[in-house]
Amino acid sequence: MANFETVEVTTDLLILGGGMAACGAAVEAAHWAKKHNVKVTLVDKAAMDRSGAVAMGLSAINQYVGLKDGENTLEDYVKYVRNDLMGITREDLVASIARHVDSTVHLFEKWGLPIWKDAAGKYVHEGRWQLMINGESYKVIVAEAAKNALGISNIIERVFIVEPLMDGDRIAGAVGFSVRENKFYVFKAKAVLVSMGGAVHVFKPRSVGEGLGRAWYPPWNSGSSAYFTIRAGAEMTCQEVRFIPVRFKDGYGPVGAWFLLFKSRATNAMGGDYMVERKPELQNWLPYGNVKPVPANLRNYLGMLDVMAGKGPIYMRTEEAIQKLSEAVQDPKERKKKLKELESEAWEDFLDMTISQAILWAGTNVEPEVKPSEIAASEPYFIGSHSGASGAWVSGPKDLAPPEYFWGYANMSTVKGMFCAGDASGASSHKFSSGSLTEGRIAAKEAIRYIVENNTQPKVDMAAVNALKAKILKPLDLFQEFKSASSDPDINPNFMKPKMFMFRLQKAMDEYGAGVTSQFTTNKMALEKALELLGMLREDAEKLAAEDLHELMRCWENVQRLWQAEVHIRTILFRQETRWPGYYMRADFPKMDEANWRVFVNATWNPKSGDWKMEKKPVINIVK
Ligand code: SFD
Ligand code: AMP
């Protein structure tokens, strides 16, 4: 077996991940830990300064409720999320985050994040809930606060977490490996907070060749949260609710600022506005077809109908929007100034969060004030904190959750001592960066309370740990054993490289699981075919091989993606309706069925038997 030192770390609270939720958890945990003499350790696969979805920066904070300013009520936000998710959301969780999110935004400002202000000193809104920021260094600023709070000695970077450790039905820690040194890590903890983000590259991206890693969602979030929680035996929810963002084509630049701040239209190749021309279609999706704003998936769907009818490409009418906004200024000198201002805001929107789109614009001679730019529906992603909803089924807070949604500690999964936040927790969409950090704070506070009230170190079976070590490092051994069997390191009769494995996964998901190639449409037979292919892939995962530590990480990322894929397919298969057209369509059940399917679908994998349990859970409205 590969010669790796085993490093044991014993702690009280183990925070997995170093993204928005984990940084919030670190800040909050540090406060309560001091009070209760509790040790907190954070582990990130990358460097916290630029890890996770916010690595490149962001140009907006997408959740700010403005409660104190009287801009909106808590109920307004809950209704917005409920409608956008076609009725399926945990209102207790959404409200729990929404009532604290403004304080998080104020913390961001205190930590040094520049939020746009108008002449009167008020925040500049992108839309009703969104604030504009100069956010290129957003993640660096937030990570700095987390590091200061927790102390560098309690943070371990560049360690990739693979599996949970269990003590019966209680979480006992996690294992992983360094991606820089030959070290295998064993973390023993009284509580674990999972915040390792969502998943990208489960589906075949539109990008090819050199651009393969360019997707909307940065490629390093690979389904670690889903894998970890499933393998611990946690109940998972909303695993069918993928997210398909419409984005500027090929660079995946954001559209929110264009639609909301610049009030732009998107039109098809013939100049038609699908949001106007296809409005009658919304009547097929009542009551959600009538709400404002039109739910994200239905906005997608209307555009997709145009594309399927051969009316693509779809264009963001940047030139028209800039023209209109500048023409509203009467004075010619001021108008010229305004035009320049708008042009620079347009570029900054990309430079703050999707630099590659600005590069693509520059490289393809796009002047947004002169010509429109193509937009398109991306491949599907798993990001429960955005407009998707996948994640673990967690307890709500005592004061808001009905008994069906409450089991002792807010944000604890159905596994004792395992808490989830951000993309790791499900059915509470539209948290975004600010809400994810807020949820991390909520979960950490509750995890510390759990530790104080259950203050025993769970038992860890070291024989099981050693077996995990051998399993996790096996790809390195396999490569060494068989590398001379062929002259091409990527092609070998005895093993498979992680990239090839990923291609197989993506092809199966794309063609049978409602990806881009199949126009986001699937049916029972196709889903069953996908499951068959994924089953074979699971067998072949035993043959993954890694040349070095980096590839070892790639191997496990792809195994984790595979599990995210499987739970997704199983959940789509179970839900016999189409509820989110524009995210996916079931051709065999093309309509929404409120009577039978206005429910959550939850999936649980049994670690002992390896069986899956699928069940319906009630949707309980707490806001009328
Ligand atoms: O508008 C392991 N999001 C946006 N939010 C906003 O508020 N404004 C925006 O402008 C946003 N835009 C946006 C957004 C997301 C993406 C992908 C894009 C654009 C392109 C949403 C937020 O970014 C998102 O909600 C939060 O970041 C979610 O927080 P969290 O903590 O759940 O995930 P993370 O930040 O990605 O962090 C994950 C961490 O886990 C680590 N990790 N560590 C150890 N072992 C493993 N195996 C691990 N696997 C992962 C990661 O390194 C990271 O630290 S807009 O354009 O849509
Ligand atoms: P995006 O850049 O597409 O991620 O959007 C940023 C924010 O604006 C998210 O909260 C979206 O839900 C919202 N948004 C984007 N486009 C629209 C639209 N056309 N109507 C309403 N909300 C939108």
Side-chain angles (χ1 to χ4, degrees), residues 90-245:
R90 278 278 301 276
E91 298 182 10
D92 57 324
L93 296 176
V94 173
S96 165
I97 296 165
R99 67 181 165 178
H100 295 302
V101 74
D102 294 354
S103 73
T104 291
V105 172
H106 300 147
L107 275 179
F108 289 155
E109 207 175 6
K110 197 176 118 195
W111 294 339
L113 178 70
I115 306 181
W116 291 18
K117 297 262 179 69
D118 63 15
K122 293 190 121 192
Y123 292 144
V124 173
H125 277 254
E126 178 185 78
R128 183 171 176 185
W129 313 105
Q130 301 86 357
L131 304 179
M132 296 302 294
I133 57 174
N134 294 105
E136 188 278 338
S137 299
Y138 192 2
K139 185 62 205 307
V140 184
I141 290 167
V142 167
E144 184 184 43
K147 286 183 192 172
N148 286 342
L150 214 52
I152 286 293
S153 59
N154 294 314
I155 294 173
I156 302 175
E157 293 180 330
R158 309 249 181 232
V159 167
F160 185 85
I161 294 295
V162 184
E163 297 274 352
L165 291 176
M166 303 300 294
D167 177 6
D169 60 354
R170 183 180 172 190
I171 191 88
V175 293
F177 57 89
S178 164
V179 297
R180 288 286 188 273
E181 309 165 286
N182 286 0
K183 287 185 178 170
F184 182 76
Y185 276 83
V186 182
F187 296 98
K188 300 175 176 176
K190 293 173 187 158
V192 174
L193 199 161
V194 184
S195 44
M196 293 183 281
V200 49
H201 282 327
V202 173
F203 282 85
K204 192 168 109 193
R206 286 182 183 272
S207 343
V208 294
E210 236 188 310
L212 193 65
R214 180 85 283 265
W216 170 71
Y217 198 170
W220 39 82
N221 280 2
S222 60
S224 298
S225 297
Y227 179 82
F228 191 93
T229 46
I230 291 171
R231 299 275 298 181
E235 196 170 322
M236 307 298 287
T237 192
C238 295
Q239 290 298 323
E240 72 280 46
V241 195
R242 53 172 70 186
F243 176 43
I244 297 190

Side-chain angles (χ1 to χ4, degrees), residues 17-22 43-46 51-54 58-63 139 159-161 195-197 216-218 220-221 224 247 254 353 383 385-386 421-423 432-434 436 560:
M20 293 309 280
V43 187
D44 191 347
K45 78 189 262 195
S51 69
V54 186
L58 295 178
S59 59
I61 289 172
N62 281 350
Q63 189 187 5
K139 185 62 205 307
V159 167
F160 185 85
I161 294 295
S195 44
M196 293 183 281
W216 170 71
Y217 198 170
W220 39 82
N221 280 2
S224 298
R247 286 293 179 266
M353 69 188 285
I383 179 160
S385 66
H386 203 288
D423 297 317
F432 302 103
S433 59
S434 44
S436 295
Q560 297 187 333

Side-chain angles (χ1 to χ4, degrees), residues 475-524:
L476 291 169
D477 299 334
L478 213 54
F479 181 80
Q480 289 308 324
E481 190 180 347
F482 294 112
K483 64 182 178 191
S484 53
S486 90
S487 55
D488 183 337
D490 290 329
I491 311 290
N492 194 298
N494 305 291
F495 61 66
M496 182 172 20
K497 281 299 198 68
K499 201 166 191 173
M500 303 302 178
F501 183 93
M502 186 179 79
F503 287 147
R504 262 177 68 184
L505 170 67
Q506 292 181 345
K507 185 167 160 60
M509 294 301 284
D510 183 53
E511 292 176 350
Y512 302 106
V516 171
T517 300
S518 49
Q519 300 275 31
F520 310 105
T521 306
T522 186
N523 59 43
K524 181 171 183 284

